[in-house]
Amino acid sequence: MAIEGDVLAVKDKLAPSANALLDAAARVLAKRSAIDVSLNDISQESGLNSALVKYYFGSKDGLLLALFSRDSAKAVAEMNHLVAAPMSPEAKIRIHISGAINTYVRTPYLNRLFHYLIDGGNEAVASSISQQFGRPILDAQRAILAEGARIGLFLRLDAEMLYFSLTGACDFIFSSAGAIPALTEEPGITDPLRKRYIAHVTDVFMTALLVPPAG
């Protein structure tokens, strides 16, 4: 993976055509189950010359990094806001699970992009995006768990293992979207299926987290 310049140098205000390229890449990736978008795909979806990708982002991978940085920043900001909210740790975890699944509904490519960039062979990119996305989410979860354990609401679970298992649970249904018609009565990830999945994942993890009632 060759990404020119600062690996996370994404400007706060991009030119309209640069934003149009990011939006086009997001739409193409949302329709697929792999990171196989081409410059031609992006050009056709955006109606812009593919040469603009190199002009604004240096390369296709530079564009994908910019897209990840843009969309992951939203998820991290929402998580930080949740940690600071005046509500119980249980309510925060429930909202977090729902929010994580809904994030993957809006941006089903986000976790795939994360792994694509992490595994791309560029150590600077891998380290930077881990610090930008993975670490803040893990730290926020750890803060909520510690608050719940302190007041006797939560069991003392391994925050790092919870991060991996919860992220995997929230994302897996989207990485397996092609199998849904064969495994369920739904034609795909419909709104009823999304709600069922949120309820199921929430029940599973709250059962593991909450201190059992006395007796």
Side-chain angles (χ1 to χ4, degrees):
M1 182 189 304
I3 299 177
E4 300 175 3
D6 185 346
V7 295
L8 289 178
V10 181
K11 297 178 181 178
D12 292 335
K13 293 184 179 180
L14 293 173
S17 51
N19 278 314
L21 290 169
L22 291 176
D23 291 339
R27 290 194 296 272
V28 173
L29 288 171
K31 300 172 187 176
R32 303 182 180 181
S33 59
I35 306 297
D36 60 353
V37 60
S38 69
L39 291 180
N40 187 54
D41 293 329
I42 297 169
S43 177
Q44 288 186 349
E45 182 70 27
S46 66
L48 297 171
N49 192 309
S50 61
L52 288 174
V53 171
K54 185 171 183 179
Y55 176 76
Y56 287 119
F57 305 105
S59 64
K60 184 188 77 172
D61 281 336
L63 179 146
L64 294 178
L65 178 61
L67 177 61
F68 175 83
S69 296
R70 184 191 73 174
D71 291 349
S72 65
K74 296 177 184 177
V76 170
E78 290 172 356
M79 191 66 179
N80 289 336
H81 179 75
L82 179 62
V83 171
M87 62 180 68
S88 73
E90 180 179 355
K92 290 178 182 180
I93 288 293
R94 290 181 180 275
I95 291 172
H96 170 49
I97 294 172
S98 175
I101 292 173
N102 286 329
T103 293
Y104 288 127
V105 170
R106 294 192 305 268
T107 54
Y109 52 83
L110 189 60
N111 209 34
R112 296 199 304 272
L113 265 180
F114 178 75
H115 290 291
Y116 173 77
L117 294 167
I118 284 283
D119 299 335
N122 187 319
E123 292 184 5
V125 171
S127 176
S128 294
I129 67 171
S130 294
Q131 293 300 317
Q132 175 187 330
F133 181 63
R135 174 59 64 178
I137 298 295
L138 171 58
D139 288 345
Q141 286 184 4
R142 181 181 283 116
I144 297 173
L145 291 180
E147 181 187 5
R150 179 179 57 80
I151 64 175
L153 181 66
F154 291 161
L155 299 169
R156 294 188 178 276
L157 299 185
D158 188 321
E160 293 176 356
M161 294 301 100
L162 180 68
Y163 168 81
F164 290 120
S165 58
L166 182 54
T167 300
C170 290
D171 174 67
F172 184 74
I173 193 171
F174 302 100
S175 62
S176 305
I180 287 176
L183 298 174
T184 74
E185 297 180 356
E186 300 287 354
I189 301 178
T190 61
D191 196 54
L193 183 63
R194 175 187 64 84
K195 292 177 180 177
R196 282 176 56 202
Y197 198 61
I198 288 173
H200 169 74
V201 174
T202 301
D203 286 346
V204 168
F205 280 89
M206 294 316 299
T207 299
L209 271 173
L210 291 171
V211 172

Coordinates of all heavy atoms in Angstrom, one line a residue, residues 79 83 89 93 96 134-150 154-164 166 209:
M79 N -19.1 8.0 20.5 CA -18.8 7.1 21.6 C -18.3 8.0 22.8 O -18.7 7.8 24.0 CB -17.7 6.2 21.3 CG -17.4 5.1 22.3 SD -18.8 4.0 22.5 CE -18.2 2.9 23.7
V83 N -20.0 8.3 26.6 CA -19.3 8.1 27.9 C -19.5 9.3 28.8 O -19.7 9.1 30.0 CB -17.7 8.0 27.6 CG1 -17.0 8.0 28.9 CG2 -17.4 6.7 26.9
P89 N -24.4 3.2 33.5 CA -23.5 2.4 32.7 C -24.3 1.4 31.8 O -24.0 1.1 30.7 CB -22.6 1.7 33.7 CG -22.6 2.6 34.8 CD -24.0 3.2 34.9
I93 N -24.1 1.0 27.7 CA -23.8 -0.2 27.0 C -24.9 -0.5 26.0 O -24.6 -0.9 24.8 CB -23.5 -1.3 27.9 CG1 -22.1 -1.1 28.7 CG2 -23.4 -2.7 27.2 CD1 -20.9 -1.2 27.8
H96 N -24.6 1.8 23.2 CA -23.4 1.5 22.5 C -23.6 0.4 21.5 O -23.2 0.4 20.3 CB -22.3 1.3 23.4 CG -21.0 0.7 22.7 ND1 -20.5 1.3 21.6 CD2 -20.2 -0.3 23.0 CE1 -19.4 0.6 21.2 NE2 -19.3 -0.4 22.1
G134 N -9.5 2.3 16.9 CA -9.6 1.1 17.8 C -9.3 1.5 19.3 O -10.1 1.2 20.2
R135 N -8.3 2.3 19.5 CA -7.9 2.6 20.9 C -9.0 3.5 21.5 O -9.4 3.3 22.7 CB -6.6 3.3 20.9 CG -6.2 3.9 22.3 CD -6.1 2.8 23.4 NE -5.1 1.8 23.1 CZ -4.9 0.8 23.9 NH1 -5.5 0.7 25.1 NH2 -3.9 -0.1 23.6
P136 N -9.5 4.6 20.9 CA -10.5 5.4 21.5 C -11.8 4.6 21.9 O -12.4 4.8 22.9 CB -10.8 6.5 20.5 CG -9.6 6.6 19.7 CD -9.1 5.2 19.6
I137 N -12.2 3.7 21.0 CA -13.4 2.9 21.3 C -13.1 1.9 22.4 O -14.0 1.8 23.3 CB -13.8 2.1 20.0 CG1 -14.2 3.0 18.9 CG2 -15.0 1.1 20.4 CD1 -15.4 3.9 19.1
L138 N -12.0 1.3 22.5 CA -11.6 0.4 23.6 C -11.6 1.2 24.9 O -12.1 0.7 25.9 CB -10.3 -0.2 23.3 CG -9.6 -1.0 24.4 CD1 -10.6 -2.1 24.9 CD2 -8.3 -1.6 24.0
D139 N -11.0 2.4 24.9 CA -10.8 3.2 26.1 C -12.2 3.6 26.6 O -12.5 3.6 27.8 CB -10.0 4.4 25.9 CG -8.5 4.0 25.7 OD1 -8.1 2.9 26.1 OD2 -7.7 4.9 25.3
A140 N -13.1 3.9 25.7 CA -14.4 4.3 26.1 C -15.2 3.2 26.7 O -15.9 3.3 27.7 CB -15.2 4.9 24.8
Q141 N -15.1 2.0 26.1 CA -15.8 0.8 26.6 C -15.2 0.5 28.0 O -15.9 0.2 28.9 CB -15.5 -0.4 25.7 CG -16.4 -0.4 24.4 CD -16.2 -1.6 23.6 OE1 -15.5 -2.5 24.0 NE2 -16.8 -1.7 22.5
R142 N -13.9 0.6 28.1 CA -13.2 0.4 29.4 C -13.7 1.3 30.5 O -14.0 0.9 31.7 CB -11.7 0.5 29.3 CG -11.0 0.2 30.6 CD -9.5 0.3 30.4 NE -8.9 -0.8 29.7 CZ -8.3 -0.7 28.5 NH1 -8.2 0.5 27.9 NH2 -7.7 -1.8 28.0
A143 N -14.0 2.6 30.2 CA -14.4 3.6 31.1 C -15.9 3.2 31.6 O -16.2 3.3 32.8 CB -14.4 5.0 30.5
I144 N -16.7 2.8 30.6 CA -18.1 2.4 31.0 C -18.1 1.2 31.9 O -18.8 1.1 32.9 CB -18.9 2.2 29.7 CG1 -19.0 3.5 28.9 CG2 -20.3 1.7 30.1 CD1 -19.7 3.4 27.6
L145 N -17.3 0.2 31.5 CA -17.2 -1.0 32.3 C -16.7 -0.8 33.7 O -17.3 -1.3 34.7 CB -16.3 -2.1 31.6 CG -16.7 -2.7 30.3 CD1 -15.7 -3.7 29.8 CD2 -18.1 -3.4 30.5
A146 N -15.7 0.1 33.8 CA -15.2 0.4 35.2 C -16.2 1.1 36.0 O -16.3 0.9 37.2 CB -13.9 1.3 35.0
E147 N -17.0 2.0 35.4 CA -18.0 2.7 36.1 C -19.1 1.8 36.6 O -19.5 1.8 37.8 CB -18.6 3.8 35.2 CG -19.7 4.6 35.9 CD -20.5 5.5 34.9 OE1 -20.2 5.5 33.7 OE2 -21.3 6.3 35.4
G148 N -19.5 0.8 35.8 CA -20.5 -0.2 36.2 C -20.0 -1.1 37.2 O -20.7 -1.4 38.2
A149 N -18.7 -1.5 37.2 CA -18.1 -2.4 38.2 C -18.0 -1.7 39.5 O -18.2 -2.2 40.6 CB -16.8 -2.9 37.7
R150 N -17.7 -0.4 39.5 CA -17.5 0.4 40.7 C -18.7 0.5 41.5 O -18.7 0.5 42.7 CB -17.0 1.8 40.3 CG -16.7 2.7 41.5 CD -16.2 4.1 41.1 NE -17.1 4.7 40.1 CZ -18.2 5.4 40.5 NH1 -18.6 5.4 41.8 NH2 -18.9 6.0 39.6
F154 N -21.9 -4.1 37.2 CA -21.3 -5.0 36.2 C -20.3 -6.0 36.9 O -19.7 -5.6 37.9 CB -20.5 -4.3 35.1 CG -21.4 -3.5 34.2 CD1 -20.8 -2.4 33.4 CD2 -22.7 -3.7 34.0 CE1 -21.5 -1.7 32.6 CE2 -23.5 -3.0 33.1 CZ -22.9 -2.0 32.4
L155 N -20.2 -7.2 36.3 CA -19.1 -8.1 36.7 C -17.8 -7.5 36.1 O -17.8 -6.7 35.2 CB -19.3 -9.4 36.1 CG -20.6 -10.2 36.5 CD1 -20.8 -11.4 35.7 CD2 -20.5 -10.6 38.0
R156 N -16.7 -7.9 36.7 CA -15.4 -7.3 36.2 C -14.9 -8.2 35.1 O -14.2 -9.2 35.3 CB -14.4 -7.3 37.4 CG -14.8 -6.3 38.5 CD -13.7 -6.1 39.5 NE -14.1 -5.1 40.5 CZ -14.0 -3.8 40.3 NH1 -13.4 -3.3 39.2 NH2 -14.4 -2.9 41.3
L157 N -15.2 -7.8 33.9 CA -14.8 -8.6 32.7 C -13.6 -7.9 32.1 O -13.3 -6.8 32.3 CB -16.0 -8.6 31.7 CG -17.3 -9.2 32.1 CD1 -18.3 -9.3 30.9 CD2 -17.0 -10.6 32.6
D158 N -12.9 -8.7 31.2 CA -11.8 -8.2 30.5 C -12.2 -7.3 29.4 O -12.8 -7.7 28.4 CB -11.1 -9.5 29.9 CG -9.7 -9.1 29.3 OD1 -9.6 -8.0 28.7 OD2 -8.8 -9.9 29.4
A159 N -11.9 -6.0 29.6 CA -12.3 -5.0 28.6 C -11.8 -5.2 27.2 O -12.5 -4.9 26.2 CB -11.9 -3.6 29.1
E160 N -10.6 -5.7 27.1 CA -10.0 -5.9 25.8 C -10.7 -7.0 25.1 O -11.0 -6.9 23.9 CB -8.5 -6.2 25.9 CG -7.7 -5.0 26.4 CD -6.3 -5.3 26.6 OE1 -5.9 -6.5 26.4 OE2 -5.5 -4.4 26.9
M161 N -11.0 -8.1 25.8 CA -11.7 -9.2 25.2 C -13.2 -8.8 24.8 O -13.7 -9.3 23.8 CB -11.7 -10.5 26.1 CG -10.3 -11.1 26.3 SD -9.5 -11.6 24.8 CE -8.4 -10.2 24.5
L162 N -13.8 -8.0 25.7 CA -15.1 -7.5 25.4 C -15.1 -6.7 24.1 O -16.0 -6.8 23.2 CB -15.7 -6.7 26.5 CG -17.1 -6.2 26.3 CD1 -18.1 -7.3 26.2 CD2 -17.5 -5.1 27.3
Y163 N -14.1 -5.9 23.9 CA -13.9 -5.1 22.7 C -13.9 -6.0 21.4 O -14.7 -5.8 20.5 CB -12.7 -4.2 22.7 CG -12.3 -3.6 21.4 CD1 -13.0 -2.4 21.0 CD2 -11.4 -4.2 20.6 CE1 -12.6 -1.9 19.8 CE2 -11.1 -3.6 19.3 CZ -11.7 -2.4 19.0 OH -11.4 -1.9 17.7
F164 N -13.1 -7.0 21.5 CA -13.0 -7.9 20.3 C -14.3 -8.7 20.1 O -14.8 -8.8 18.9 CB -11.8 -8.9 20.5 CG -10.5 -8.2 20.4 CD1 -9.6 -8.3 21.5 CD2 -10.1 -7.6 19.3 CE1 -8.4 -7.7 21.4 CE2 -8.8 -6.9 19.2 CZ -8.0 -7.0 20.2
L166 N -17.4 -8.0 21.1 CA -18.5 -7.1 20.8 C -18.4 -6.6 19.4 O -19.4 -6.6 18.6 CB -18.7 -6.0 21.8 CG -19.9 -5.0 21.6 CD1 -21.2 -5.8 21.6 CD2 -19.9 -4.0 22.8
L209 N -22.7 -9.3 31.3 CA -22.1 -8.1 32.0 C -22.7 -7.9 33.4 O -22.0 -7.6 34.4 CB -22.3 -6.9 31.2 CG -21.2 -6.5 30.2 CD1 -21.7 -5.3 29.4 CD2 -19.9 -6.1 31.0

